[in-house]
Amino acid sequence: MPTVSVNREALFKAIGQEYNDEEFDELCFKFGLEIDDIVDDPDKGMTYKIEIGANRYDLLCIEGIARTLRVFLGLETLPKFQVLPAKDPSQYKLIVKPAVAQVRPYIVGAVLRNIKFTQAIYDSFIDLQDKLHHNIARKRTLVAIGTHDLDTITGPFIYDAQPPKEISFVPLNQTEVFRSDVLLEKYTQDLHLREFVPIIKDKPVYPVILDQKGVVLSLPPIINGNHSKITLNTRNVFIECTATDRHKAQIVLDTLICMFSGYCDKPFTAEAVLVEYPDGEKIQYPTLQYRQQETSVAYCNVLTGVEENAEDMAKLLQSMSLSAKPTGPDTLMVEIPPTRYDVLHACDVAEDFAIAYGYDRLREDMQLPSTSTIGQEFELNYLSDKMRLLLSQNNYIEVATFSLCSKSDMGEKMKINLDKEPLVKIGNPKTMDFEALRISLLPGILKTVAANKHVSLPLRMFEVADVVVKDSCPVATRGTGARNKRHLCAINYNVKAGMEVVQGLLDNIMVALKVPFTEDGSSKGYYLEGKDYPSFFPGFSATVVVNGSPVGCLGLIHPEVVTSFNLNNPASVLEIDLQKVMEITDFGH
Amino acid sequence: MPSSTVNSVEILFTVLRKMIAEVVDVKQTTVKSWECTEEGTCLANDGSHEARLFSSLGKEGRLLADIKANIPNSNIALGAAMKNKLHGRAYPSKEWEFRPCCELNFDLDICKFRKLKAKQRNCYTNLKIGAYWVKKEGEKVVPIVSSITDEVQLHLQAVARGEAHAVPDKVKADYKKRKLIKEIEKTVFEVRKGSEFTTSVVKQEAEFTKDMIESGQWKNANFKPYNFKSKGRVELRSGHLHPLMQLRSEFRRIFLEMGFTEMPTNSYVESAFWNFDALFQPQQHPARDAQDTFYVSDPATCLEVPEDYLERVRKTHSEGGYGSIGYQCKWNRAEADKNLLRTHTTAVSARMLYKLAQVLVEAMSETSFEKAETYKRNRQPQNAHVKLIGAV
């Protein structure tokens, strides 16, 4: 969610109305924006930090916000943006060479004629390019913008990709000539530019834009040349955007034009630039696309829950910068302007209609659906809740621990060799504590006990929750390769661990599940079979067997495990795979 | 009964216990008083450090080094002896008479006097230097006055006598800072005869016993009224359900009562296909960044995805479809195959909707028209309007 900082006074001046902070917050909220923060910036004065949706490219600068709000308030209608023919078509061309196809295949361009810059407008211009770079252009990997003083360069322009050692120029705000590979090396130290260097650094050729006299306009996506630098005196601006995604380049260019063409002598116009690809394709930019989207009135009404007719709906859509004409009792032809590339489908139109209608005006009374259905619980959750209730009735306290854990908690501290376990590992953990998904509830519970050493003994805790294991069966894992298992784990931490305590708990659980205690080896009922586990003290642990299958373990925690978790009292533990028990006992049926 | 200060804690508790039984009435008050510390008592007896320094000087004075070596607490003594205030009136000299001067402070500390600039110092003439005791002359400390009054000693003696009120508050604060005196709080209990006053101690019963009931003795016993103002007692720590889980149960109950069917959400690992692509989240969306999503390194890619559905998803993302213009860019299969930790339960909803659609498709594709009708009729109420939710 990008945040745009705008000076409060400048914003209200641009909107043409004064507000106090609360009123403006209300207005933004109605429109669907949120004011993140109000700060008193030493350079910029009182500043609003407004949170904008990632898909609203028209709200990334003060010009866009002000105009959109003015349209929303009915103070103006969205201007019609026009592409004018190039003043000198032979000059305003971007000739693309074949070499670029391997690094940065696409380019678009446009001319802003007779524009008047002030310091504020200039700053906003740079700012918008930054925001576009950061958001839709995905940190310049998809699109890179270059803006130039047209009067300092001579078209037609060449877009080529050349070996790094053959490109030399004076980069922006420098005085000496740099060879491009040396320049990139230098920029690996630069705070702002170093994140972009890897985009082309190791490529065999670097993209470069040149004019007829060999002047380097820019080395995308890194930096522009100093020669064509824009100053406050610049009157004609040449914009070029190189890209790996053609559609996004179009969006970026159109956005820049729509936001800043208002300052041209002929407002809301831009002059065309022709792009010639090596395969013969010739496209004119900017597109400034006006798309016709047919929308059903009934569809919008159903989604919003209101009953508006076509004319009123069209009027409301107008305030959202969408010009609509009723073409029948149920249809609207909505014109999507180049500022609204976020509208992809009729549902986006319906959303804007709902906002214009006013979310606070939508129906107040709760409406239950007219069809009644019978509710149904997920069976595993039903059983788990019964178990949880039973355990709390047995005086155990429920805990909720993290599903992610560190490898040391699962492995070394538990005396378990993780290489043999079906552990699901996280590729980008935030901290060491979240390296993998847990395969047992026990470490989490032991950590909880450790955090409660100040509480008087005995500490009896339980958790009924999922662990995750790797599995190669597509059906069991729903195609992913890993599945959840519902486990139940209970601990008795006391001066004397008392294995008989957790065993008594197990007996109660089995009574609730209607599984009888039986002799060893029987295939019906449950029993305990002595078995050594790495985390338990030898001779003091057993497998819990239900209907002939092992479902869990019970025993005395090994003293080394106790100390590795910073505890000092003995503990006895029960952990069973509840999901397996449910399947084996066919519980509830 | 006259009020008396209770020293012994035992007596105190007995008193309080009896207080409840209306045998005695007890009123509790707090009284503050001053008393000398150990050091303060020493000074009260022997005199203050500075006074003792003064008496050791004699007429000629002593070398500073000598003093520092031989007199205990010499630095305190010197500081106090030299710090005493300048008293007396200050008259502006002839030159300064008609000029606005600096603020003439008539009660000026010698340290502050030293800090004044020469011009300002000259304003002060005819000063009566009343309370200097000693001054520094080169390496020597010499007495200025012939005799002194050891006020500190006098004050401390007053405090020891219990006449602390005679000493001004400001001075007391200073002595407290110097740790010569301290303020103590005493709790005073006033004990009076109560309505049930008696000198004989009667044992009162707190509750019945089994013997009392069987023998009938409870009829003769004297019972102490139960104290309802104290806290109750819990026998054994009881079990509890987790508050978050309790909240979750509430939510589930609401949905179930409305007729919802619970989805199986017991799957933390999901493929990017179901979690993002099937939900029309573009592949370049920032939410799919490594910063905002946990990607699984093992198993890194999913095992399988319904291929025909995947093809429809690919087309809609890259070219559009179903009324949408799509994202107009290449769709990467490898991106969709990545495994991640589910970022929202809506991924499960997507799977459910797909399953539902399969069921409906199956129902519609019955060969015989009649069979299709019955099939549809049997299933329609449930399938057409099944609403699905995810448990948290």
Side-chain angles (χ1 to χ4, degrees), chain B residues 2-65:
Chain B
S3 62
S4 53
T5 314
V6 177
N7 292 335
S8 161
V9 177
E10 263 185 72
I11 304 178
L12 170 63
F13 278 154
T14 318
V15 165
L16 288 176
R17 241 181 276 133
K18 284 197 182 290
M19 193 163 93
I20 302 164
E22 289 180 31
V23 177
V24 287
D25 275 334
V26 182
K27 205 162 64 170
Q28 189 178 334
T29 44
T30 320
V31 161
K32 288 194 192 170
S33 64
W34 294 90
E35 76 177 22
C36 288
T37 60
E38 230 177 84
E39 195 188 338
T41 325
C42 278
L43 294 197
N45 295 334
D46 304 331
S48 64
H49 300 301
E50 50 270 29
R52 282 186 277 166
L53 169 67
F54 185 82
S55 55
S56 78
L57 287 182
K59 261 206 162 167
E60 295 301 311
R62 279 171 84 161
L63 284 171
L64 190 61

Side-chain angles (χ1 to χ4, degrees), chain A residues 16-57:
Chain A
Q17 285 195 349
E18 284 290 318
Y19 296 92
N20 65 35
D21 287 343
E22 232 180 81
E23 289 166 348
F24 190 67
D25 194 60
E26 263 295 311
L27 172 65
C28 284
F29 193 74
K30 274 179 104 107
F31 182 73
L33 299 177
E34 202 181 322
I35 300 195
D36 205 21
D37 207 0
I38 308 176
V39 287
D40 201 348
D41 192 299
D43 315 313
K44 292 198 201 160
M46 274 313 256
T47 309
Y48 284 141
K49 286 197 196 285
I50 308 180
E51 242 183 66
I52 308 288
N55 60 349
R56 287 302 294 261
Y57 316 116

Side-chain angles (χ1 to χ4, degrees), chain A residues 160-177:
Chain A
D160 196 4
Q162 294 169 356
K165 294 194 170 48
E166 291 178 22
I167 308 172
S168 291
F169 67 110
V170 179
L172 192 64
N173 294 329
Q174 300 286 343
T175 45
E176 331 159 350
V177 174

Side-chain angles (χ1 to χ4, degrees), chain B residues 85-132:
Chain B
K85 289 202 173 116
L86 296 167
H87 290 303
R89 299 194 59 74
Y91 300 92
S93 64
K94 278 270 187 288
E95 299 108 74
W96 301 99
E97 204 165 339
F98 299 104
R99 291 193 211 177
C101 284
C102 54
E103 290 118 36
L104 294 182
N105 188 339
F106 293 109
D107 200 13
L108 195 63
D109 206 295
I110 188 151
C111 309
K112 286 199 188 138
F113 182 75
R114 283 204 205 112
K115 284 189 192 143
L116 290 179
K117 301 203 180 92
K119 258 198 209 168
Q120 291 164 322
R121 266 197 236 178
N122 289 338
C123 290
Y124 290 85
T125 59
N126 301 346
L127 293 167
K128 273 213 181 113
I129 306 169
Y132 271 149

Side-chain angles (χ1 to χ4, degrees), chain B residues 128-256:
Chain B
K128 273 213 181 113
I129 306 169
Y132 271 149
W133 289 4
V134 301
K135 68 174 178 199
K136 222 171 107 175
E137 247 178 32
E139 287 304 308
K140 265 171 120 181
V141 178
V142 293
I144 302 176
V145 292
S146 46
S147 69
I148 51 151
T149 336
D150 193 356
E151 280 202 351
V152 176
Q153 185 180 28
L154 290 173
H155 286 158
L156 289 175
Q157 282 170 346
V159 170
R161 278 200 303 274
E163 289 167 20
H165 48 269
V167 184
D169 281 337
K170 221 166 148 205
V171 178
K172 280 210 287 259
D174 189 42
Y175 291 156
K176 185 171 170 192
K177 227 165 65 174
R178 283 171 69 175
K179 298 213 168 71
L180 298 175
I181 61 174
K182 61 183 180 204
E183 212 172 354
I184 47 174
E185 260 183 36
K186 286 194 238 181
T187 316
V188 177
F189 291 92
E190 268 187 41
V191 186
R192 290 199 171 77
K193 281 189 209 176
S195 52
E196 306 282 329
F197 184 68
T198 162
T199 45
S200 61
V201 180
V202 173
K203 186 169 188 301
Q204 289 193 310
E205 300 294 339
E207 50 194 4
F208 303 146
T209 61
K210 176 178 172 228
D211 293 329
M212 272 197 214
I213 294 174
E214 284 179 349
S215 63
Q217 242 229 296
W218 60 270
K219 296 185 195 139
N220 304 328
N222 194 354
F223 287 98
K224 186 169 70 179
Y226 190 82
N227 178 17
F228 291 101
K229 301 300 173 195
S230 66
K231 260 188 128 172
R233 188 170 70 138
V234 179
E235 275 295 311
L236 178 66
R237 184 182 298 134
S238 55
H240 289 282
L241 290 174
H242 194 281
L244 269 180
M245 300 302 149
Q246 286 181 21
L247 189 63
R248 190 182 68 174
S249 301
E250 286 298 316
F251 279 118
R252 284 178 79 239
R253 191 178 65 87
I254 293 171
F255 281 119
L256 287 168

